Amino acid sequence: MANLYPHKLVNVVTLDVLQDKLKEMFRRHGVSGYTIIRVTGEGDSGESAGTLDFEANIMIKVIIPEEKLQRLLDGLQRQIAKGYHLTIFVSDIEVITPEKFSTPLE
Amino acid sequence: MSSLNNLLIPAVLFFALGAIARIIKSDLRFPPDLAKVLSIYLLMAIGLHGGYELAKADLVIAMNAIMWALILGFTVPIAGYLALIITRKVSPLDAAAISAHYGSVSAGTFLTAIAFLDSSGIEYESYPLIMLAVMESPAIIVGLLLAAMARKQLAASKPSGEAKVLAADGESEGETKFSHLLREAFTNGSVVVLIGSMVIGAIAQPSGVQKLMPFIHEIFMGVLCLFLFEMGMEAARRIKEFKKVGLTLALFGVVMPLVGGTIGALVGHYVLDFSIGGATLVAVLGASASYIAVPPAMRLAIPEANPSFYLTLSLGITFPFNVLVGIPLYYWFVQYLAGV
């Protein structure tokens, strides 16, 4: 029977425009990978229908071990302080291959 | 009469149809990314066509046109910035972001002007097309410089403790970020497509370009209709933001293109000595505000600025104004300057 190991899933909803910037930041924090989904929705920055480039939204999902969480969140918070709109939430998840999430991206 | 003619061009009628579809809450939706596909096609087709014509053009006139495009691109946003600061309706950072939009250009407006000239059988030079390509980027740089200035003033007026917290963020951005943005301003997708296609049009075998005519010429106006159809919907989507923008800013969205259009018409007619059609296109360049290239750049570089200000102004007010009223008005003004 497979074992389950607790990990953290960080979700960031933001502008497609910020994609490169955030990817670079995730790399600096030694994440093992990320998944990006195009999303639409409505919130404090108004409606994002995603028809035009400048208002296309994405959701970035990153799975990390708990000990790396705080530093990553601090980094994200600095972006918010600069005025960027990020919607961030973290969930507790369980993974079956913890070693996969501890190797940083090349 | 010419203004009525402009309204009856199919492309402009489709723009209106898009806006109406949105206003009556029709369930009409375009597939995602269609606007992107269409704008790449439009820039590619106009670029190939223009490059092909430019290969036969005079280099001195072309260089002169490029120089004046740069002058317009750098000065129009500064004029816009000063005007916005005087109104005291927006923060300096908002003013920087808005004026970058007005210094840059809208290919959609430019192509609508071409549709207008074509349908009235008016000749025009191909030089304004190079100016279109050149004018995309300088305003972005001016916007960034104005924003950097505004931030410095803001930091100076703040108690020093607060400024330090912001500065101590441990990431070596700042200078590198600016050079990164400069690169982005010039490697912007629409600039690459437009200039690249112009080079291809200029150096490719003329017989090869001739074969492309069904693709770049015959279906061009149809694609422009589709593009403006969708843009009409996008423009009308901004209407609900009008209240946030307020009357003074909304007025800026109408007055600024008139000022830019007048400067453009004067430069096109007196300085560059273009035909009535050519000078009208330069006026349109001076008048139009970007809504494709500049908004993402500003969202990245000036996150403090409120996007609903600059998007509502450029896409919701100035673009429809230019398409419906501005183009025939600039044409009429150039005719007046030429004494026709």
Side-chain angles (χ1 to χ4, degrees):
Chain A
M1 208 180 103
N3 281 320
L4 287 169
Y5 301 86
H7 264 63
K8 295 287 180 185
L9 171 64
V10 180
N11 300 272
V12 183
V13 180
T14 191
L15 286 169
D16 187 31
V17 175
L18 295 177
Q19 195 179 126
D20 289 342
K21 203 183 171 69
L22 290 180
K23 278 192 219 167
E24 203 189 298
M25 195 184 119
F26 287 141
R27 271 174 191 279
R28 273 206 308 272
H29 283 82
V31 307
S32 61
Y34 50 79
T35 303
I36 296 178
I37 318 165
R38 282 179 72 165
V39 292
T40 61
E42 191 166 358
D44 59 359
S45 340
E47 190 190 354
S48 158
T51 330
L52 297 172
D53 257 7
F54 53 74
E55 51 175 20
N57 268 10
I58 53 168
M59 184 191 255
I60 311 178
K61 288 173 169 284
V62 187
I63 296 174
I64 51 168
E66 186 158 8
E67 61 268 22
K68 285 188 184 168
L69 178 68
Q70 207 47 54
R71 231 169 63 83
L72 181 67
L73 292 182
D74 288 345
L76 288 169
Q77 212 152 29
R78 275 198 293 273
Q79 299 300 324
I80 296 178
K82 283 184 192 162
Y84 293 113
H85 291 260
L86 305 176
T87 304
I88 303 163
F89 55 97
V90 180
S91 33
D92 291 319
I93 52 158
E94 287 172 305
V95 300
I96 55 170
T97 51
E99 63 285 355
K100 182 174 159 66
F101 302 103
S102 54
T103 354
L105 279 172
E106 300 268 301
Chain B
M1 257 336 266
S2 65
S3 77
L4 190 65
N5 278 344
N6 185 49
L7 291 176
L8 294 180
I9 293 172
V12 176
L13 291 171
F14 272 106
F15 181 80
L17 178 60
I20 291 167
R22 187 79 211 179
I23 290 164
I24 61 171
K25 296 192 163 68
S26 157
D27 64 354
L28 175 69
R29 292 283 179 278
F30 283 86
D33 282 342
L34 183 71
K36 215 171 178 178
V37 175
L38 296 179
S39 66
I40 290 174
Y41 164 80
L42 291 170
L43 290 172
M44 184 184 152
I46 191 85
L48 273 171
H49 211 278
Y52 177 68
E53 298 295 327
L54 278 170
K56 305 175 232 160
D58 184 319
L59 192 67
V60 178
I61 305 178
M63 293 312 289
N64 207 17
I66 290 174
M67 190 187 77
W68 277 94
L70 287 172
I71 294 174
L72 284 175
F74 281 110
T75 51
V76 170
I78 295 175
Y81 180 77
L82 293 176
L84 283 167
I85 292 295
I86 290 167
T87 66
R88 290 171 170 277
K89 287 286 176 197
V90 288
S91 76
L93 285 167
D94 277 319
I98 296 171
S99 48
H101 287 74
Y102 282 85
S104 187
V105 288
S106 145
T109 315
F110 185 83
L111 297 174
T112 311
I114 285 190
F116 168 74
L117 295 175
D118 279 351
S119 76
S120 321
I122 301 154
E123 298 275 316
Y124 48 87
E125 292 88 346
S126 43
Y127 305 106
L129 185 65
I130 327 177
M131 300 177 76
L132 171 73
V134 171
M135 283 177 76
E136 288 256 7
S137 318
I140 297 180
I141 295 159
V142 175
L144 297 184
L145 291 174
L146 290 171
M149 260 171 49
R151 274 196 202 104
K152 242 181 210 160
Q153 277 175 355
L154 221 65
S157 66
K158 262 186 193 167
S160 55
E162 208 173 323
K164 258 181 208 151
V165 173
L166 276 174
D169 96 8
E171 289 164 35
S172 60
E173 285 178 24
E175 297 303 311
T176 48
K177 198 173 150 198
F178 191 72
S179 66
H180 176 74
L181 284 163
L182 275 187
R183 205 193 66 220
E184 287 219 328
F186 285 102
T187 57
N188 183 282
S190 41
V191 176
V192 170
V193 175
L194 189 53
I195 295 190
S197 308
M198 278 164 75
V199 171
I200 293 173
I203 62 172
Q205 286 178 330
S207 63
V209 179
Q210 279 300 333
K211 277 204 187 105
L212 285 176
M213 282 301 165
F215 178 69
I216 62 177
H217 188 72
E218 271 137 51
I219 66 166
F220 184 83
M221 286 301 161
V223 179
L224 182 63
C225 286
L226 255 178
F227 178 76
L228 286 179
F229 193 179
E230 181 162 15
M231 285 303 119
M233 291 177 66
E234 284 299 319
R237 215 148 63 78
R238 303 277 146 205
I239 291 175
K240 63 179 181 201
E241 310 266 328
F242 277 15
K243 255 193 229 146
K244 273 192 222 162
V245 166
L247 189 64
T248 315
L249 269 190
L251 263 174
F252 176 85
V254 173
V255 174
M256 191 60 205
L258 291 176
V259 173
T262 305
I263 299 172
L266 294 173
V267 169
H269 179 71
Y270 289 111
V271 184
L272 295 170
D273 204 22
F274 286 166
S275 67
I276 289 175
T280 303
L281 290 178
V282 181
V284 168
L285 289 176
S288 69
S290 164
Y291 54 83
I292 301 264
V294 181
M298 290 302 118
R299 284 212 137 171
L300 195 59
I302 317 182
E304 304 96 324
N306 183 349
S308 53
F309 285 163
Y310 51 73
L311 288 178
T312 309
L313 281 178
S314 70
L315 184 57
I317 297 175
T318 302
F319 180 51
F321 172 77
N322 276 331
V323 165
L324 300 174
V325 185
I327 293 169
L329 196 65
Y330 311 136
Y331 171 64
W332 170 83
F333 182 60
V334 172
Q335 271 187 317
Y336 170 79
L337 290 179
V340 176

